[in-house]
Amino acid sequence: MALSQEEQLILSSLNSQEKLHSQSFNYQSVFLSSVIPDPTNARFFPCVFIDDEHAKQFVNRKLSKKDLMNIYYGEDRVLIGKSCIINCLKYGSHEWKKANQTIESIIELGNNISVSELIQVPTIYPLEDGKYQVLTGHRRFFALVYANGLGSSSQFKIYDNKPLLTKVKQFQENASREDLPQYGKLQAFLSAMMEIDSFNNARLKIGMKKLTVKETASNLGISMGAFDNYNVLTRYPCVLEAFQSGLSLSFVKVKKVVLSVEAEYRSKHDKSVLNITDKKQINQEIKQLLSGKKTPTKAKKAFKFKAIQSANTLKTLLTSDVTTLDIGIDWDNIDWQDHDAVNNAMATVVEYLETRATSQAT
């Protein structure tokens, strides 16, 4: 099976014992006109940069929005230049609204840059055509263009080469930023996990083990709890679709919805392992809940018996009063509404009877 270019690069790095997160870099001043954003990044929106002279003419009302759209083929894009950002996406659409929110934050940051120094500079890496691509700091880069113009220069952190795990690096930054929309964070997580999968496949091909869950979370720069949250929230495509469409619920609340629907489905259909058909049905039920078309119901817990191997054990359970057995269970104080307490007590009874049946047989 042919290796992808990404896997070949990772294998080369692993074979040479290079550390994937230790690429060399330096800080230097670069013209903004030589830097391009990453269209696959969660921070990206379809943009075109305006020449400084055209931006000046627009600000002085010598060029109209329509003029700029014609010059830069700006329909369904956002035009960005010195002191101007023009949303040319379809008016009133979800994309237009999302872009407006990002534009507001860029203008605010750009105004701050105009009067103070940018503390954390954007990170870039060189492309083959002499240009540079933004790795992290898309909003900061757009703000620099807005504040100083495309013909200006600014300080950047520049990697010598494109980092192997670019999406992991982007996620590390996006996950810690409160102002990034939830959909962007989930999208960034999925992209990072695809890179982790490629990394693990490359490790297996040279006889190494996959990263453990703890190592994966560490590489992503998040806690085990946060890693579990992201895994649950990206388990079903309807969750991402809901956030993309403007769902404003917190990750915690949506996670509870997902787990509740799963638990209810497992209990109703007596399922321990979910197949593709099950997941499609669960996805549909979650979608209805998140869209407000269905009222969530609390999953009913079931009383469960430990698997019984001996016929004698089963006979004893059906014909005897097991509460008289001297096995350390305080039957008088058991809360029969507490499913876990009752299940644990019955597991103890079954284990005792199974052990006794085995000893009698020998």
Side-chain angles (χ1 to χ4, degrees):
M1 186 177 184
L3 296 176
S4 66
Q5 183 179 9
E6 183 181 27
E7 286 181 328
Q8 290 175 359
L9 288 171
I10 293 173
L11 277 175
S12 174
S13 176
L14 290 173
N15 284 325
S16 62
Q17 299 299 309
E18 293 178 22
K19 292 184 179 180
L20 293 177
H21 292 297
S22 63
Q23 289 89 349
S24 56
F25 59 86
N26 62 80
Y27 290 88
Q28 68 182 64
S29 184
V30 173
F31 282 106
L32 301 186
S33 58
S34 66
V35 180
I36 61 174
D38 175 8
T40 67
N41 186 267
R43 282 282 186 188
F44 177 81
F45 53 19
C47 64
V48 178
F49 295 112
I50 307 171
D51 178 81
D52 288 350
E53 183 58 32
H54 286 153
K56 181 179 180 181
Q57 290 176 338
F58 175 78
V59 171
N60 293 327
R61 300 191 177 185
K62 293 180 180 179
L63 283 177
S64 66
K65 174 181 177 179
K66 185 176 181 181
D67 292 332
L68 289 179
M69 287 180 66
N70 290 333
I71 294 171
Y72 292 96
Y73 303 97
E75 187 175 357
D76 294 328
R77 300 185 182 188
V78 176
L79 305 181
I80 304 178
K82 181 175 173 58
S83 302
C84 61
I85 301 184
I86 309 166
N87 188 348
C88 302
L89 295 165
K90 185 178 179 181
Y91 180 81
S93 66
H94 177 64
E95 289 73 19
W96 180 85
K97 293 177 182 177
K98 280 204 310 179
N100 268 353
Q101 293 175 347
T102 306
I103 287 170
E104 288 176 6
S105 67
I106 291 172
I107 291 175
E108 181 181 1
L109 180 57
N111 290 335
N112 290 335
I113 290 173
S114 298
V115 296
S116 62
E117 185 179 339
L118 185 62
I119 297 175
Q120 187 177 6
V121 300
T123 302
I124 59 178
Y125 60 86
L127 300 174
E128 293 179 354
D129 58 0
K131 297 276 189 180
Y132 296 90
Q133 183 161 300
V134 179
L135 176 63
T136 62
H138 279 76
R139 190 174 64 104
R140 280 167 278 156
F141 170 60
F142 293 148
L144 284 168
V145 175
Y146 175 81
N148 302 321
L150 198 61
S152 67
S153 61
S154 184
Q155 191 84 352
F156 288 88
K157 177 181 177 181
I158 306 177
Y159 282 100
D160 292 346
N161 300 290
K162 177 183 178 180
L164 292 176
L165 301 184
T166 57
K167 299 304 175 187
V168 171
K169 284 185 176 293
Q170 288 175 352
F171 175 79
Q172 288 173 347
E173 174 169 310
N174 289 330
S176 64
R177 301 187 75 92
E178 292 298 327
D179 57 330
L180 182 66
Q182 292 128 313
Y183 171 71
K185 290 185 178 182
L186 295 179
Q187 189 182 45
F189 175 78
L190 286 175
S191 297
M193 287 305 296
M194 287 180 66
E195 277 193 341
I196 294 289
D197 288 342
S198 295
F199 178 56
N200 281 331
N201 288 336
R203 286 170 65 95
L204 290 174
K205 283 169 182 168
I206 60 171
M208 299 177 68
K209 293 181 179 180
K210 289 184 177 182
L211 294 177
T212 64
V213 174
K214 187 175 182 179
E215 288 170 336
T216 300
S218 177
N219 274 278
L220 292 172
I222 55 178
S223 66
M224 290 289 289
F227 182 71
D228 180 65
N229 290 344
Y230 277 106
N231 270 319
V232 172
L233 292 169
T234 55
R235 195 176 293 168
Y236 300 97
C238 68
V239 175
L240 274 82
E241 292 166 4
F243 278 120
Q244 187 178 24
S245 299
L247 180 68
S248 58
L249 292 178
S250 68
F251 278 172
V252 173
K253 289 183 178 179
V254 177
K255 180 184 178 182
K256 287 181 179 178
V257 171
V258 173
L259 295 179
S260 176
V261 173
E262 280 188 337
E264 182 181 356
Y265 187 91
R266 289 176 187 274
S267 177
K268 182 179 179 181
H269 299 278
D270 193 24
K271 291 264 187 172
S272 57
V273 179
L274 301 174
N275 58 34
I276 294 177
T277 302
D278 296 326
K279 291 178 180 178
K280 285 183 178 179
Q281 181 60 39
I282 292 172
N283 183 75
Q284 188 60 32
E285 292 183 16
I286 294 172
K287 183 177 181 179
Q288 290 178 345
L289 283 173
L290 295 180
S291 63
K293 295 179 180 178
K294 182 180 178 183
T295 303
T297 57
K298 190 174 181 180
K300 294 181 179 179
K301 297 189 73 172
F303 292 108
K304 297 179 181 179
F305 283 78
K306 186 176 180 181
I308 298 173
Q309 306 296 328
S310 168
N312 287 333
T313 297
L314 182 59
K315 181 180 178 181
T316 301
L317 284 172
L318 295 174
T319 62
S320 304
D321 182 2
V322 295
T323 63
T324 61
L325 295 173
D326 185 16
I327 52 177
I329 298 176
D330 186 1
W331 294 103
D332 292 332
N333 292 313
I334 281 188
D335 181 0
W336 293 95
Q337 301 305 315
D338 185 340
H339 286 66
D340 290 335
V342 176
N343 288 337
N344 289 335
M346 291 309 301
T348 301
V349 170
V350 172
E351 185 177 353
Y352 170 79
L353 293 176
E354 291 282 65
T355 302
R356 188 173 69 176
T358 301
S359 61
Q360 288 175 349
T362 58

